[in-house]
Amino acid sequence: MFPGEIDEQPVTHLERIGEVFARFGADTQDSGNISYGVQVGPERYFFKTAGVASDTEPYLDFEARQELLRNAARLAESVLHPAMPTFHGVIESPGGPVLVYEWREGELLYAAGDQPDDPTSAPQRFKALPVDELVAALDQLFDLHADLAKAGWVTGDFYDGALIYNFSERQLTVMDLDSYRPGPYRNDMGRMFGSSRFMAPEEFSLGAPIDDRTTAFVMARTALVFLSDGTLDPTACRAIAPQYAVLQEATTTRFPSYAAFYDAWRAAS
Ligand SMILES: Nc1ncnc2c1ncn2[C@@H]1O[C@H](COP(=O)(O)OP(=O)(O)O)[C@@H](O)[C@H]1O
Ligand SMILES: [Mg+2]
C-alpha cells in the first residue's frame, strides 16, 4: 500500500500523497522524533520519523533515534493486539525510517506539567469514569502486555503519555512503546528513562535485572495512578478489594512473572 522506499524527505512525500492535519515535533515532543497525522484518501495514518539529523538537543542523537524506531517496528511486527494501532510497515527514506501506523482518535491520558489536576483534562476525566469502564480499559492494557510478555518484550519508559483514550468509543490505544526491549535486560543507566510514578525499584538500580516482573510492577502502578491516587492507600482505591490486593502484591512482595500477575488480576475481577 505504501512504497518500501522513497527518494525524498518524509514530509515532502507526505504532503504530496495526502493532507497533513497534525504534526508532533519539538514544540510538544522532547524525543527529537517528528510525527505526522496524514489523511490519505479516505484513511488517516500516523507517520513517525526520527526527525532532523542536525537536531542534537534530544538525549538520543539521530542514529540512536533511528535505531529506536527500528526497534519499535520490530515490536509492532511481532505483536498484533486491538489496543495497538495497526502497523503498516516501514518506508525507507533519505531522512531515515518512516513508521506507518493506523491513526487512532482519542485523547492523550497525560497532562503536560501546568495543570495536572484540571478536572476537564483527559487524564482527570478518565480517572472519573465509572469504575467498570475504567477497569475495562485497564484490562485492555494488561491483556496487551500479556501478549508482549509472551513475545519476550520487557517494559521500558512506559508512562501515561503512551495512552490514548477514545471516550465515545471507549477504546484504549497504547502507542510509543519504542523503548521496550526484547528479553530481560540489565539496568544500564542507574535511573532509567521514565516517569517515577510508574517505575519499579530495579529501574533505579544500576545493574539490576529488568524483566517481565518489572512489567507487572509498572502495569500495577498504572492501575494505581488511575484507580487510586497513585499510592497504596486502600481507602483511595476504587478497585474492588480482591483487585486492590493484586495491585498491592504486584508493587510490594511482587509476582514471579507477568503471567502470574495477569492470572491473579483476572481471577480477582
Ligand atoms: N497511532 C496514533 N494515532 C494518533 N495519534 C498518535 C498515534 N501514535 C501517537 N500519537 C500521538 O502522537 C504523539 C507523538 O507520538 P509518540 O509515539 O509518543 O512520539 P515520541 O517518540 O515523539 O514521543 C503522541 O503523544 C500521541 O498524541
Ligand atoms: Mg511519546
Side-chain angles (χ1 to χ4, degrees):
M1 174 171 36
F2 291 101
E5 198 177 343
I6 55 176
D7 57 12
E8 56 193 346
Q9 286 299 322
V11 67
T12 311
H13 182 74
L14 298 178
E15 281 167 350
R16 216 156 42 68
I17 64 168
E19 182 76 28
V20 178
F21 62 85
R23 182 181 184 279
F24 304 89
D27 43 340
T28 52
Q29 311 301 120
D30 57 13
S31 60
N33 298 327
I34 303 179
S35 303
Y36 305 89
V38 186
Q39 177 97 31
V40 183
E43 300 292 339
R44 292 183 139 196
Y45 297 94
F46 179 81
F47 292 88
K48 185 163 185 173
T49 81
V52 190
S54 60
D55 185 2
T56 54
E57 191 69 20
Y59 184 86
L60 296 180
D61 67 18
F62 187 57
E63 277 305 312
R65 298 201 294 272
Q66 293 187 54
E67 184 37 51
L68 210 59
L69 289 189
R70 297 201 185 279
N71 182 62
R74 287 190 288 272
L75 183 147
E77 271 157 7
S78 68
V79 174
L80 293 181
H81 191 280
M84 286 203 300
T86 304
F87 183 60
H88 296 291
V90 179
I91 305 171
E92 297 298 337
S93 87
V98 182
L99 274 54
V100 189
Y101 295 93
E102 165 195 12
W103 176 266
R104 287 281 180 99
E105 295 298 337
E107 296 174 62
L108 197 62
L109 294 182
Y110 170 73
D114 39 358
Q115 281 189 324
D117 298 324
D118 178 352
T120 65
S121 71
Q124 292 302 325
R125 281 185 287 125
F126 184 69
K127 284 189 70 169
L129 287 175
V131 71
D132 288 354
E133 190 183 337
L134 192 40
V135 167
L138 291 170
D139 285 343
Q140 279 297 295
L141 177 70
F142 293 175
D143 193 67
L144 165 63
H145 280 81
D147 286 6
L148 289 166
K150 259 182 247 154
W153 291 97
V154 172
T155 189
D157 195 13
F158 177 86
Y159 76 126
D160 37 10
L163 302 174
I164 293 175
Y165 193 64
N166 183 328
F167 286 84
S168 51
E169 303 289 330
R170 301 187 177 183
Q171 181 192 44
L172 183 80
T173 294
V174 186
M175 40 83 198
D176 199 11
L177 302 182
D178 306 9
S179 297
Y180 279 34
R181 296 200 206 178
Y185 59 99
R186 282 194 184 273
N187 178 326
D188 50 13
M189 291 180 74
R191 189 207 188 280
M192 300 292 294
F193 284 134
S195 163
S196 54
R197 288 169 302 152
F198 300 90
M199 288 163 74
E202 56 271 28
E203 292 180 276
F204 293 92
S205 172
L206 186 65
I210 297 182
D211 55 29
D212 72 314
R213 294 172 295 185
T214 315
T215 306
F217 185 105
V218 171
M219 289 302 113
R221 289 289 318 154
T222 307
L224 289 168
V225 163
F226 289 118
L227 282 170
S228 189
D229 59 1
T231 73
L232 273 173
D233 175 359
T235 64
C237 191
R238 298 173 70 206
I240 56 175
Q243 289 171 332
Y244 170 81
V246 171
L247 300 178
Q248 182 184 42
E249 184 168 345
T251 55
T252 54
T253 50
R254 313 287 296 264
F255 284 98
S257 66
Y258 186 83
F261 159 72
Y262 188 48
D263 287 347
W265 174 259
R266 280 181 299 175
S269 303

